[in-house]
Structures are given as C-alpha cells and as structure tokens.
C-alpha cells in the first residue's frame, strides 16, 4: 500500500512538472493576481513621437541682404552719371540710384473747407473782398482747402495766424515737407573688391566730395 501511495505521488509530481513546461499552469506569482508582463514592446506614444528632436522641422533663416557700395551723394544727376561712366569704363559693375529726401519744410496757413469746391470758392471770394491774399489748394493732402499764405519759418506763420484769428478767420498752421532728389552710384556686390582705397583716392581727384558706404542694395533708377 505504501509503495502504491509513493507511486501515485511521484506520478502527480511528474504530471505537474510536465504541465509547467508546456505552459498549461501559471506560476504561483501569477496566480496571486500580479499582472502579466507582455513580451511585445508597446509602440511609442504620439506625444513622444512629436517631441522627438529628429522630427522637428528646421527653421529657415532669412538670407542676409546683399551689400553694395554706394558712392555720392550728388545733388545733380549729371555728376552721378559722370561717375557711373568712369566706373563702367573700369569694368566695375555699377548703376545709378535716385532717392527722394526732405529738402526743406514750408508752413502753410490753411482755412479748412468742408463744403466742397462751391464752399471753397465762396469763402475765397469773401477773403479777397477783405483784401486777404488767398487761393484754393488744388494738390496734395491739403487739396480743397484755402491757403492764406506760405512761409519758410514757423514763427512768421504763427505771427500771421494770430492776425487772421483776430480778424475772425479760422486758420491753422500746417507743415509741408518739400522733397528733392539726390543721386548715388551703387557698385554691385560682385564688383566690391574692385573699389579699393587706391581707386577711391583717384576718384576723389575729380569728385572731391565723394563719400562711400556699405548699404543694402537699393533699386536702381531707370
């Protein structure tokens, strides 16, 4: 009887070992309720992918503006053209540049008109009957109003304004910039190396007031 009991016990042990090797029986640690660990690796989350440095698109930086040499400045186009021809004869790529700058400021005495041309002509007639020099402005931002004088100095304009206000005329002082043209000769970037101190010294013999500076290339004059 004891031998039969030992034989059955051994048989159960062998059967249990066989079940463990074949995966049919889970270990005690798993049977205790611990979560199973999967052999497969889970894919990365979307946040991790988007945060990857390799996936960040590079920022395109703006290329620096090309630098030209600007020679001048000339008040007359003729002088700039002479310098341009001199440089072109030396195979220096260059072009003429025209800029508008504020030359001076005038001070206008202006009577505002809101009723159009009919109202402007009626007020102009009254002013002229009073002996006040005046005219209707036809151009610029003040067009349609009446001018009662143009002065080169602000204090003169304000003095006249005080007189007109005392006579019951509603006038204000408006500053108007007068533009003038100036001319430069612009050397292209590819030819900058040709304009050295030796060449500049020779050019200043014929153009004593010649100045040069490095600036971003400007549109050329037509």
């Amino acid at each position: 009887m004891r031998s039969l009991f030992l034989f059955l016990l051994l048989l159960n042990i062998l059967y249990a070992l066989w079940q463990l090797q074949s995966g049919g029986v889970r270990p005690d640690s798993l049977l205790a309720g611990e979560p199973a660990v999967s052999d497969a690796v889970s894919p990365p989350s979307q946040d991790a992918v988007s945060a990857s440095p390799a996936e960040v698109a590079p920022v395109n930086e703006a290329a620096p503006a090309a630098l030209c040499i600007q020679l001048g400045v000339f008040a007359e186009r003729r002088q700039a053209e002479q310098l341009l021809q001199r440089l072109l004869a030396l195979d220096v790529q260059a072009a003429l540049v025209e800029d508008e700058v504020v030359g001076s400021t005038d001070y206008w005495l202006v009577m505002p008109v809101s009723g159009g041309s009919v109202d402007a002509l009626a007020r102009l007639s009254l002013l002229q009957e009073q002996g006040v020099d005046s005219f209707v402005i036809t151009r610029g931002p003040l067009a349609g109003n009446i001018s009662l004088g143009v002065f080169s100095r602000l204090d003169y304009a304000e003095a006249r304004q005080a007189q007109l206000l005392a006579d019951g005329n509603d006038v204000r002082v408006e500053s108007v910039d007068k533009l003038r043209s100036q001319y430069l000769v612009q050397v292209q970037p590819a030819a900058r190396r040709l304009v050295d101190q030796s060449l500049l010294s020779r050019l200043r013999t014929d153009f004593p007031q010649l100045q040069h500076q490095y600036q971003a290339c400007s549109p050329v004059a037509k």
Side-chain angles (χ1 to χ4, degrees):
M1 179 64 66
R2 184 176 181 180
S3 300
L4 179 61
F5 174 76
L6 293 176
F7 173 76
L8 292 175
L9 177 61
L10 179 61
L11 184 62
N12 287 332
I13 293 174
L14 292 176
Y15 179 78
L17 292 175
W18 178 79
Q19 288 291 338
L20 288 174
Q21 291 178 358
S22 61
V25 177
R26 298 177 59 190
D28 294 341
S29 60
L30 297 181
L31 294 175
E34 296 179 9
V37 178
S38 174
D39 293 335
V41 178
S42 61
S45 65
Q46 185 65 28
D47 293 340
V49 173
S50 61
S52 175
E55 299 296 330
V56 178
V59 178
N60 294 327
E61 296 183 358
L67 293 181
C68 291
I69 299 179
Q70 294 183 348
L71 304 173
V73 179
F74 301 98
E76 297 181 5
R77 186 186 183 101
R78 173 182 56 83
Q79 293 178 308
E81 289 177 342
Q82 290 176 354
L83 175 59
L84 175 62
Q85 295 303 320
R86 178 85 170 268
L87 293 173
L88 294 177
L90 297 173
D91 292 330
V92 177
Q93 299 177 11
L96 188 67
V97 175
E98 180 179 357
D99 287 331
E100 283 192 341
V101 296
V102 176
S104 60
T105 302
D106 288 337
Y107 301 94
W108 292 51
L109 290 179
V110 178
M111 175 179 288
V113 177
S114 58
S117 59
V118 175
D119 188 16
L121 292 175
R123 294 195 182 192
L124 179 63
S125 178
L126 291 175
L127 290 170
Q128 291 178 347
E129 289 178 359
Q130 298 171 7
V132 178
D133 292 334
S134 54
F135 61 91
V136 177
I137 305 171
T138 58
R139 296 182 183 179
L142 301 177
N145 298 310
I146 297 176
S147 172
L148 286 78
V150 180
F151 301 86
S152 59
R153 290 178 50 172
L154 178 59
D155 54 347
Y156 290 171
E158 290 176 341
R160 179 57 177 159
Q161 179 191 28
Q163 295 175 353
L164 292 170
L165 290 174
D167 293 336
N169 297 300
D170 180 20
V171 294
R172 64 174 186 261
V173 178
E174 296 283 352
S175 60
V176 178
D177 293 331
K178 295 173 64 176
L179 300 179
R180 62 177 178 85
S181 294
Q182 66 177 18
Y183 303 92
L184 299 164
V185 175
Q186 179 171 268
V187 178
Q188 302 304 317
R192 282 198 329 232
R193 59 182 179 82
L194 301 176
V195 184
D196 53 14
Q197 291 299 325
S198 176
L199 177 57
L200 290 173
S201 298
R202 297 200 305 272
L203 292 175
R204 288 192 177 100
T205 302
D206 297 326
F207 306 94
Q209 305 300 322
L210 182 66
Q211 300 177 359
H212 76 283
Q213 57 184 348
Y214 292 88
Q215 296 285 351
C217 299
S218 303
V220 300
K222 297 181 179 180

